[in-house]
């Protein structure tokens, strides 16, 4: 049978289906190598373009969702200082979209190597898309660092494989609630650390170090996806806390019983550093780095207390001071950060470690601020309401002595101002008087000048006119003489022909 | 679930979280400073702070890492208690034997802890300042019978004289280890279940899961 078929194969059937004249191959669907490559390339391009279309659609949806959310946000009482906050939010949104597109590009299918990026740059369909697909410095660096770190770790390849697969899988779970995402990540941490313990027989310290790196790698790649996700009301809570803290601006050190004396330079220095650190927390991506900011802030607080009280700080001192620092700093996106750390931090760190203790205190501080009332500041609720509504401030009703002296100072100042004003009035009158005098002086002067000119004209009538004409006649004669002289020079040129011929160079032998 | 952090997964090192609760001025900080630094009212305390202290112990060949969390004792911070004692393995409830009120506060704490954490948490009720016995306002019998009635242990200590503190912490650690071991055994029975119950985990290779996880404590 096969022989028969073999016989019946026509020469034309062996040729490339495209009819280019070359022989085709069944492995290339009957095309020749050249046509097959072309065809294949086209297919790939189409695939890439489809991916891009999908990515763009997602981006549009994202933007629409954001726009509608934004409108909702605007219907609430607008608060101007949040403009920056909103801007950053928008910026983050756009970077989030970028991350989505990144996942759709072919480059992520291969392990992120430098030459892989170069290879797929060729297949990029248009220049615009290649421009928009910028590298992600943070997450790419995190990947590179993670790979570098795992090189020194036994079975590092496998760990990386798992983490990458998990991280990429998370993208398809973006619609899940934040708590479910958190559960996924926590389960992953747990199972990975168990495997490290049991399968790879790592020591506790070793496992912890690896888990730190795992967390760093995964969370810097997932940060934009899972920080303050849209499925939660974290953002609303952020704004609420921010407003609350702003409303509590009048709370003083004395009301909170903070054992810190800001008159001492070292103490106020520590307070400033603590504030800086707690604000810096928002700029970090990895939960562990955020915790490190809280820890640094706490250490500065302890220092401030120790310098003020000359003894080691206890929790009784620490918590009020932390509350005071939070009130002073009003850290951006406080609730989002707390939620993010709770959801995605390595649990062993949060539950028993020192970082965990300070984090817990921060949670306490925020809870306290949210529930703060007059009683917790040792004042009546009426007084508290008065301060909250801004009708009065604890800084206004000073002790009477200070008040009277302040009033006296104001009184004397008013008097002196009045004196100055009267003085000014007098001076102005004088100035106006002088100006009038100057005006009349000016008028007098012009009259005088006019008179003098008149008298001068009368005393010397027309003599001047004749002298000028004479002088003019003199100049004309000199010019004509000069013209004649120049023409005489020109005429001399005619005699040039009579001159002997110019000397010729003579050549001497030798 | 609350004690998930208790037993290190290797089974050899335990790490426990212990909270110190009690009214301000009953001597919580002195107690823990005496235990961890062996100092009392000392100007040369080396730690920057006395609110979070750790201690490494070796009890019958088992390594134990103890993390002691001090809490703010002022009344206005009482409501924040649950944030502190979440996931604790043990609680030390301190009162001043010369102050009846502080003992009343301890009773409130006990009620709250039992309600929130059940019997998983080891409770120690500590009457501090026994060097001031002549001013005692809380009777020994009352305190001990109360402790027994709520399943707690009672101790008398003096941070000033360094009395009873070692015993207190050692006893607490032993009890927490027992609790952790009992929990481990219980978990061992339900091991196969807990492994299959976990969802959303991506394991790339197909090797079987070795041991059950301690569980996830992210919620809360």
């Amino acid at each position: 049978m096969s022989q028969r078929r073999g016989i019946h194969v026509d020469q034309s059937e062996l040729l490339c289906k495209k009819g280019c004249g070359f022989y085709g191959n069944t492995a290339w669907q009957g095309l020749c190598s050249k046509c097959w490559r072309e065809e294949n390339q086209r297919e790939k391009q189409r695939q890439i373009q489809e991916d891009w279309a999908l990515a763009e659609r997602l981006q549009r949806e994202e933007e629409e969702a954001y726009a509608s959310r934004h409108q909702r946000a605007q219907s609430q009482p607008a608060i101007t200082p949040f403009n920056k906050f909103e801007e950053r939010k928008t910026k983050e949104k756009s970077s989030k979209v970028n991350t989505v597109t990144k996942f759709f590009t072919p480059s992520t299918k291969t392990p992120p190597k430098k030459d892989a990026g170069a290879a797929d740059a060729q297949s990029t369909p248009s220049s615009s898309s290649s421009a928009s697909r910028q590298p992600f410095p943070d997450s790419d660096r995190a990947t590179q660092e993670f790979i570098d770190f795992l090189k020194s770790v036994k079975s590092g390849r496998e760990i990386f494989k798992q983490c990458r697969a998990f991280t990429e899988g998370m993208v398809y779970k973006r619609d899940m609630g934040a708590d479910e995402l958190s559960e996924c990540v926590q389960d992953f941490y747990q199972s990975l650390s168990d495997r490290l313990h049991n399968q790879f027989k790592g020591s506790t310290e070793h496992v912890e170090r690896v888990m730190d790196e795992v967390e760093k790698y995964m969370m810097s790649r997932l940060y934009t996806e899972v920080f303050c996700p849209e499925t939660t009301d974290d953002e609303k809570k952020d704004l609420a806390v921010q407003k609350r803290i702003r409303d509590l601006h009048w709370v003083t050190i004395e009301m909170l019983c903070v054992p810190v004396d800001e008159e001492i330079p070292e103490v106020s220095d520590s307070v400033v550093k603590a504030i800086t650190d707690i604000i810096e927390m928002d700029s970090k991506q990895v939960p562990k780095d955020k915790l490190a900011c809280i820890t640094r802030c706490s250490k500065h607080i302890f220092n401030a207390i120790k310098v003020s009280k000359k003894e080691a700080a206890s929790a009784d001192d620490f918590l009020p001071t932390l509350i005071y620092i939070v009130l002073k700093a009003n850290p951006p996106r406080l609730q989002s950060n707390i939620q993010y750390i709770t959801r995605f931090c390595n649990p062993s760190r949060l539950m028993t470690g020192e970082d965990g203790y300070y984090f817990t205190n921060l949670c306490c501080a925020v809870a306290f601020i949210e529930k703060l009332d007059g009683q917790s500041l040792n004042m009546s609720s009426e007084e508290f309401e008065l301060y909250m509504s801004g009708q009065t401030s604890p800084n206004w009703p000073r002790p009477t002595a200070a008040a009277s002296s302040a009033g006296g100072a104001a009184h004397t100042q008013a008097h002196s101002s009045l004196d100055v004003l009267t003085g000014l009035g007098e001076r102005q009158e004088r100035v106006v008087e002088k100006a009038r005098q100057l005006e009349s002086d000016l008028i007098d002067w012009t009259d005088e000048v006019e008179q003098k000119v008149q008298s001068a004209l009368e005393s010397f009538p027309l003599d001047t006119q004749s002298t000028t004409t004479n002088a003019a006649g003199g100049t004309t004669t000199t010019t004509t003489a000069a013209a004649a002289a120049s023409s005489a020079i020109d005429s001399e040129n005619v005699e040039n022909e009579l001159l002997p011929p110019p000397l010729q160079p003579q050549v001497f032998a030798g | 679930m609350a004690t998930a952090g208790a037993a290190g997964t290797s089974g050899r090192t335990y790490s426990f979280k212990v909270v110190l609760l009690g009214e301000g001025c009953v001597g919580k900080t002195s107690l823990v400073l005496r235990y961890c630094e062996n100092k009392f009212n000392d100007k040369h305390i080396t730690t920057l702070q006395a609110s979070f202290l750790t201690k490494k112990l070796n009890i019958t060949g088992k390594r134990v890492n103890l993390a002691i969390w001090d809490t703010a004792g002022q009344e206005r911070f009482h409501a924040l208690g649950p944030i502190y004692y979440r996931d604790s393995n043990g609680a030390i409830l301190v009162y001043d034997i010369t102050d009846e009120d502080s003992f009343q506060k301890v009773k409130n704490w006990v009620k709250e802890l039992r309600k929130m954490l059940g019997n998983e948490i080891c409770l120690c009720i500590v009457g501090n300042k026994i060097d001031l016995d002549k001013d005692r306002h809380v009777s020994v019998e009352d305190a001990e019978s109360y402790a027994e009635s709520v399943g707690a242990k009672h101790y008398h200590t003096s941070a000033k004289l360094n009395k009873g503190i070692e015993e207190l912490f050692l006893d607490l650690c032993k009890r927490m280890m027992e609790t952790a071991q009992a929990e481990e055994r219980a978990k061992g029975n339900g091991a196969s279940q807990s492994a299959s119950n976990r969802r959303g985990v991506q394991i790339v290779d197909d090797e079987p899961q070795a041991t059950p996880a301690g569980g996830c404590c992210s919620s809360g």
Side-chain angles (χ1 to χ4, degrees), chain A residues 158 182-183 187 190 194 197-199 256-257 302 306 313-316 351 354 357-358 360-361 364 376, chain B residues 9 17 29 45 47-52 69-74 76 80 83-84 198-199 205 207 211 213:
Chain A
E158 201 176 328
S182 156
E183 212 171 295
D187 276 349
Q190 186 68 51
D194 282 356
H197 266 298
N198 301 315
Q199 204 176 320
L256 288 168
C257 305
F302 285 131
K306 195 168 186 182
S314 70
D316 290 354
M351 275 188 287
E354 191 172 5
Y357 178 73
Y358 301 135
T360 305
N361 272 287
C364 285
S376 44
Chain B
T9 25
K17 170 182 163 182
T29 311
I45 284 164
T47 52
L48 184 60
Q49 44 87 16
S51 54
F52 175 86
W69 292 36
D70 194 4
T71 61
Q74 294 96 318
R76 55 188 165 148
L80 305 173
I83 308 177
Y84 278 117
R198 205 183 297 109
R199 62 202 166 77
D205 64 3
E207 282 173 82
T211 43

Side-chain angles (χ1 to χ4, degrees), chain A residues 66 74-75 120 181 250 352 355 433 456 469:
Chain A
Y66 177 64
Q74 274 183 339
S75 65
D120 85 89
L181 287 175
W250 46 270
T352 46
D355 290 344
E433 207 175 300
T469 20

Side-chain angles (χ1 to χ4, degrees), chain A residues 110-121:
Chain A
T110 54
K113 276 183 282 181
K114 274 191 186 123
D115 50 352
D120 85 89

